[in-house]
Amino acid sequence: MKLLITGGTGFIGRNLAAQYAARHDVAAPSRADLDLLDAEAVRAYLERHRFDAVIHAATERANRLLGSALGLFDRNCRMFFHLARNARAFGRMLFLSSGAVYGMRGRPMLSEDAFDACVPADDYGFSKYVCARAVDGMERVYELRLFGVFGSYEDWRVRFISNACCRALHNLPLVIRQNVFFDYLDVEDLGCILERLAAAPLRHRHYNVCTGRAVDLRTLAEHVLAASCKAPGIEIRNDGLGPEYSGDNSLLLAEFPDIRFRPVDQSIRRLYAWYEARKATIDPALLRFDE
């Protein structure tokens, strides 16, 4: 396939581009090469290249290090609409959305029909919600709701599994502010799923793309310690469980019943080895920013 991956220098986009490079004709332009906020530049680029599929992974995020950047809502919506309005110039568009569209946590295994039970209060979730509402009126655009995705090239300062791997590398205790159940998906499994969604006939416009099984952070931290063969310990700062963040993937499995997910402990061992090979690039001071 001829694929456009937006956000090609970001965590998910970078992984997808590497995973597909040997099998597909992949374009993963940087922001300097294609400004998704420039409507005319996007139109011209899509019409010139005529991609079989667009995987829209570019997004502005909010996290506890960066906060919610001014203009996040506006930029996320504009990038989405500048691509989606040119649907006649590509085969289909896979919009990487988020479980944040549901605007709720604590209700486990959220299904697609829980959408619009409430409006997300945060700018990031609201931007995804607005784009998701628009998908039903568009041609060849599909929304894929991701929950937790992890793997190489993610921001190890703030992303839990990578942060835990890097802490273990430096013999620092693994810090959990509060234990919580998450649905974590290996980025390589995500790549396999997107590859199929890009080519197969699809019966729905919205899918939860997740494993359908939640794992608590303490268990994940224990997998990291097992992979590291070290014992710096685990610190949980607050008692009890936080609100669960997980999805029901029944619609996805009904389309592709043969999908298999890597065991999370195996994925963590592979990721730990990846960071171990790059230990010299990881400043341990940056692992403590929110302590």
Short mmCIF file of all heavy atoms in Angstrom, two decimals, residues 80-81 84 95 112 115-116 129-143 145 203-207:
data_model
loop_
_atom_site.label_atom_id
_atom_site.label_comp_id
_atom_site.label_asym_id
_atom_site.label_seq_id
_atom_site.Cartn_x
_atom_site.Cartn_y
_atom_site.Cartn_z
N PHE A 80 -7.11 17.47 11.91
CA PHE A 80 -8.05 16.42 11.51
C PHE A 80 -8.89 16.86 10.31
O PHE A 80 -8.99 16.14 9.31
CB PHE A 80 -8.95 16.06 12.69
CG PHE A 80 -10.12 15.21 12.30
CD1 PHE A 80 -9.99 13.83 12.14
CD2 PHE A 80 -11.37 15.78 12.08
CE1 PHE A 80 -11.07 13.04 11.77
CE2 PHE A 80 -12.47 14.99 11.71
CZ PHE A 80 -12.30 13.63 11.56
N PHE A 81 -9.51 18.02 10.39
CA PHE A 81 -10.43 18.45 9.33
C PHE A 81 -9.69 18.79 8.03
O PHE A 81 -10.23 18.56 6.94
CB PHE A 81 -11.28 19.63 9.80
CG PHE A 81 -12.37 19.22 10.76
CD1 PHE A 81 -12.26 19.51 12.11
CD2 PHE A 81 -13.47 18.53 10.31
CE1 PHE A 81 -13.27 19.12 12.99
CE2 PHE A 81 -14.48 18.13 11.19
CZ PHE A 81 -14.37 18.42 12.53
N ALA A 84 -9.38 15.23 6.60
CA ALA A 84 -10.63 14.50 6.34
C ALA A 84 -11.45 15.13 5.22
O ALA A 84 -12.15 14.42 4.49
CB ALA A 84 -11.46 14.43 7.63
N PHE A 95 -8.15 7.60 11.72
CA PHE A 95 -7.90 8.67 12.67
C PHE A 95 -7.61 8.04 14.03
O PHE A 95 -8.48 7.39 14.63
CB PHE A 95 -9.14 9.58 12.72
CG PHE A 95 -9.21 10.49 13.91
CD1 PHE A 95 -8.13 11.25 14.31
CD2 PHE A 95 -10.40 10.61 14.62
CE1 PHE A 95 -8.21 12.10 15.40
CE2 PHE A 95 -10.50 11.46 15.70
CZ PHE A 95 -9.40 12.20 16.10
N GLU A 112 -18.03 1.11 22.53
CA GLU A 112 -18.24 2.24 21.61
C GLU A 112 -19.57 2.93 21.83
O GLU A 112 -19.68 4.15 21.61
CB GLU A 112 -18.12 1.76 20.17
CG GLU A 112 -16.71 1.39 19.72
CD GLU A 112 -16.29 -0.02 20.08
OE1 GLU A 112 -17.08 -0.71 20.79
OE2 GLU A 112 -15.21 -0.45 19.67
N PHE A 115 -20.13 6.26 23.94
CA PHE A 115 -19.77 7.58 23.43
C PHE A 115 -20.95 8.54 23.56
O PHE A 115 -22.10 8.19 23.29
CB PHE A 115 -19.34 7.48 21.97
CG PHE A 115 -18.97 8.80 21.35
CD1 PHE A 115 -17.78 9.42 21.70
CD2 PHE A 115 -19.80 9.43 20.45
CE1 PHE A 115 -17.42 10.64 21.14
CE2 PHE A 115 -19.47 10.64 19.87
CZ PHE A 115 -18.27 11.26 20.22
N ASP A 116 -20.66 9.76 23.94
CA ASP A 116 -21.62 10.86 24.08
C ASP A 116 -22.49 10.73 25.32
O ASP A 116 -23.47 11.46 25.47
CB ASP A 116 -22.51 10.99 22.83
CG ASP A 116 -22.91 12.45 22.58
OD1 ASP A 116 -22.25 13.34 23.14
OD2 ASP A 116 -23.88 12.68 21.84
N TYR A 129 -13.29 14.26 20.85
CA TYR A 129 -14.76 14.11 20.84
C TYR A 129 -15.37 14.83 19.64
O TYR A 129 -16.22 14.29 18.93
CB TYR A 129 -15.31 14.65 22.15
CG TYR A 129 -16.80 14.82 22.23
CD1 TYR A 129 -17.62 13.79 22.67
CD2 TYR A 129 -17.39 16.04 21.89
CE1 TYR A 129 -19.00 13.97 22.77
CE2 TYR A 129 -18.76 16.22 21.97
CZ TYR A 129 -19.56 15.18 22.41
OH TYR A 129 -20.92 15.36 22.50
N VAL A 130 -14.95 16.07 19.41
CA VAL A 130 -15.50 16.86 18.30
C VAL A 130 -15.19 16.17 16.97
O VAL A 130 -16.06 16.07 16.09
CB VAL A 130 -14.92 18.29 18.33
CG1 VAL A 130 -15.23 19.03 17.03
CG2 VAL A 130 -15.48 19.05 19.52
N CYS A 131 -13.96 15.70 16.81
CA CYS A 131 -13.60 15.01 15.57
C CYS A 131 -14.38 13.71 15.41
O CYS A 131 -14.83 13.37 14.31
CB CYS A 131 -12.09 14.75 15.54
SG CYS A 131 -11.09 16.25 15.54
N ALA A 132 -14.56 12.97 16.51
CA ALA A 132 -15.31 11.71 16.45
C ALA A 132 -16.76 11.96 16.04
O ALA A 132 -17.34 11.17 15.27
CB ALA A 132 -15.27 11.02 17.82
N ARG A 133 -17.36 13.04 16.53
CA ARG A 133 -18.74 13.37 16.16
C ARG A 133 -18.85 13.64 14.66
O ARG A 133 -19.89 13.37 14.05
CB ARG A 133 -19.22 14.60 16.93
CG ARG A 133 -19.54 14.38 18.39
CD ARG A 133 -20.78 13.52 18.58
NE ARG A 133 -21.95 14.10 17.95
CZ ARG A 133 -22.85 14.87 18.56
NH1 ARG A 133 -22.68 15.17 19.85
NH2 ARG A 133 -23.89 15.35 17.93
N ALA A 134 -17.78 14.16 14.07
CA ALA A 134 -17.82 14.53 12.65
C ALA A 134 -17.64 13.33 11.73
O ALA A 134 -18.03 13.40 10.56
CB ALA A 134 -16.74 15.57 12.37
N VAL A 135 -17.06 12.25 12.22
CA VAL A 135 -16.69 11.12 11.36
C VAL A 135 -17.89 10.52 10.63
O VAL A 135 -17.81 10.15 9.45
CB VAL A 135 -15.95 10.04 12.19
CG1 VAL A 135 -15.89 8.71 11.45
CG2 VAL A 135 -14.54 10.52 12.51
N ASP A 136 -19.04 10.41 11.30
CA ASP A 136 -20.20 9.76 10.69
C ASP A 136 -20.70 10.48 9.44
O ASP A 136 -21.34 9.86 8.59
CB ASP A 136 -21.34 9.65 11.71
CG ASP A 136 -21.05 8.59 12.78
OD1 ASP A 136 -20.39 7.59 12.46
OD2 ASP A 136 -21.45 8.80 13.93
N GLY A 137 -20.41 11.75 9.32
CA GLY A 137 -20.84 12.49 8.14
C GLY A 137 -19.79 12.59 7.06
O GLY A 137 -19.97 13.37 6.11
N MET A 138 -18.72 11.83 7.18
CA MET A 138 -17.60 11.94 6.24
C MET A 138 -17.45 10.67 5.41
O MET A 138 -17.89 9.60 5.82
CB MET A 138 -16.30 12.22 7.01
CG MET A 138 -16.28 13.57 7.68
SD MET A 138 -14.76 13.79 8.65
CE MET A 138 -14.87 15.56 8.95
N GLU A 139 -16.79 10.81 4.29
CA GLU A 139 -16.48 9.66 3.45
C GLU A 139 -15.16 9.03 3.85
O GLU A 139 -14.17 9.74 4.06
CB GLU A 139 -16.38 10.09 1.98
CG GLU A 139 -17.64 10.64 1.36
CD GLU A 139 -17.39 11.03 -0.08
OE1 GLU A 139 -17.32 10.12 -0.94
OE2 GLU A 139 -17.24 12.24 -0.35
N ARG A 140 -15.13 7.73 3.97
CA ARG A 140 -13.89 6.96 4.08
C ARG A 140 -13.00 7.37 5.26
O ARG A 140 -11.78 7.29 5.18
CB ARG A 140 -13.10 7.04 2.77
CG ARG A 140 -13.84 6.42 1.58
CD ARG A 140 -12.97 6.38 0.34
NE ARG A 140 -12.71 7.69 -0.21
CZ ARG A 140 -13.56 8.34 -1.01
NH1 ARG A 140 -14.71 7.80 -1.34
NH2 ARG A 140 -13.26 9.53 -1.47
N VAL A 141 -13.61 7.82 6.34
CA VAL A 141 -12.86 8.20 7.53
C VAL A 141 -13.33 7.33 8.69
O VAL A 141 -14.54 7.19 8.91
CB VAL A 141 -13.03 9.70 7.88
CG1 VAL A 141 -12.22 10.05 9.14
CG2 VAL A 141 -12.61 10.57 6.71
N TYR A 142 -12.38 6.74 9.41
CA TYR A 142 -12.67 5.83 10.52
C TYR A 142 -11.94 6.31 11.77
O TYR A 142 -10.78 6.72 11.71
CB TYR A 142 -12.25 4.40 10.17
CG TYR A 142 -12.94 3.86 8.95
CD1 TYR A 142 -12.43 4.12 7.67
CD2 TYR A 142 -14.11 3.14 9.05
CE1 TYR A 142 -13.08 3.65 6.53
CE2 TYR A 142 -14.77 2.66 7.92
CZ TYR A 142 -14.25 2.93 6.67
OH TYR A 142 -14.90 2.47 5.54
N GLU A 143 -12.64 6.24 12.90
CA GLU A 143 -12.06 6.67 14.17
C GLU A 143 -11.65 5.45 14.99
O GLU A 143 -12.45 4.55 15.22
CB GLU A 143 -13.07 7.50 14.97
CG GLU A 143 -12.47 8.07 16.25
CD GLU A 143 -13.46 8.11 17.40
OE1 GLU A 143 -14.60 7.61 17.25
OE2 GLU A 143 -13.07 8.61 18.47
N ARG A 145 -10.18 4.39 18.66
CA ARG A 145 -10.01 4.89 20.02
C ARG A 145 -8.96 4.08 20.75
O ARG A 145 -9.18 2.92 21.10
CB ARG A 145 -11.36 4.85 20.74
CG ARG A 145 -12.37 5.77 20.09
CD ARG A 145 -13.79 5.56 20.58
NE ARG A 145 -14.71 6.38 19.79
CZ ARG A 145 -16.03 6.26 19.80
NH1 ARG A 145 -16.61 5.32 20.55
NH2 ARG A 145 -16.78 7.05 19.06
N ARG A 203 -17.10 -2.71 8.74
CA ARG A 203 -18.54 -2.57 8.95
C ARG A 203 -18.91 -1.38 9.83
O ARG A 203 -20.08 -0.99 9.89
CB ARG A 203 -19.09 -3.85 9.58
CG ARG A 203 -19.11 -5.04 8.63
CD ARG A 203 -19.62 -6.29 9.30
NE ARG A 203 -18.64 -6.83 10.24
CZ ARG A 203 -18.85 -7.91 11.00
NH1 ARG A 203 -20.03 -8.52 10.96
NH2 ARG A 203 -17.91 -8.36 11.79
N HIS A 204 -17.95 -0.83 10.54
CA HIS A 204 -18.25 0.24 11.49
C HIS A 204 -17.33 1.44 11.22
O HIS A 204 -16.32 1.32 10.51
CB HIS A 204 -18.06 -0.26 12.93
CG HIS A 204 -18.88 -1.47 13.25
ND1 HIS A 204 -20.23 -1.41 13.53
CD2 HIS A 204 -18.54 -2.78 13.32
CE1 HIS A 204 -20.69 -2.63 13.77
NE2 HIS A 204 -19.68 -3.48 13.64
N ARG A 205 -17.67 2.57 11.78
CA ARG A 205 -16.87 3.79 11.62
C ARG A 205 -16.03 4.09 12.85
O ARG A 205 -15.13 4.93 12.78
CB ARG A 205 -17.79 4.99 11.33
CG ARG A 205 -18.69 4.80 10.13
CD ARG A 205 -17.91 4.57 8.84
NE ARG A 205 -17.13 5.74 8.46
CZ ARG A 205 -17.63 6.76 7.79
NH1 ARG A 205 -18.89 6.76 7.41
NH2 ARG A 205 -16.87 7.79 7.47
N HIS A 206 -16.32 3.44 13.96
CA HIS A 206 -15.62 3.71 15.22
C HIS A 206 -15.25 2.38 15.88
O HIS A 206 -16.09 1.49 16.00
CB HIS A 206 -16.51 4.50 16.18
CG HIS A 206 -17.14 5.71 15.57
ND1 HIS A 206 -16.55 6.96 15.58
CD2 HIS A 206 -18.34 5.86 14.92
CE1 HIS A 206 -17.35 7.82 14.95
NE2 HIS A 206 -18.42 7.18 14.55
N TYR A 207 -14.00 2.27 16.30
CA TYR A 207 -13.53 1.05 16.96
C TYR A 207 -12.65 1.40 18.16
O TYR A 207 -11.78 2.29 18.06
CB TYR A 207 -12.67 0.20 16.01
CG TYR A 207 -13.40 -0.37 14.82
CD1 TYR A 207 -13.47 0.34 13.63
CD2 TYR A 207 -13.97 -1.64 14.87
CE1 TYR A 207 -14.12 -0.18 12.51
CE2 TYR A 207 -14.62 -2.17 13.76
CZ TYR A 207 -14.69 -1.44 12.59
OH TYR A 207 -15.34 -1.97 11.49
#
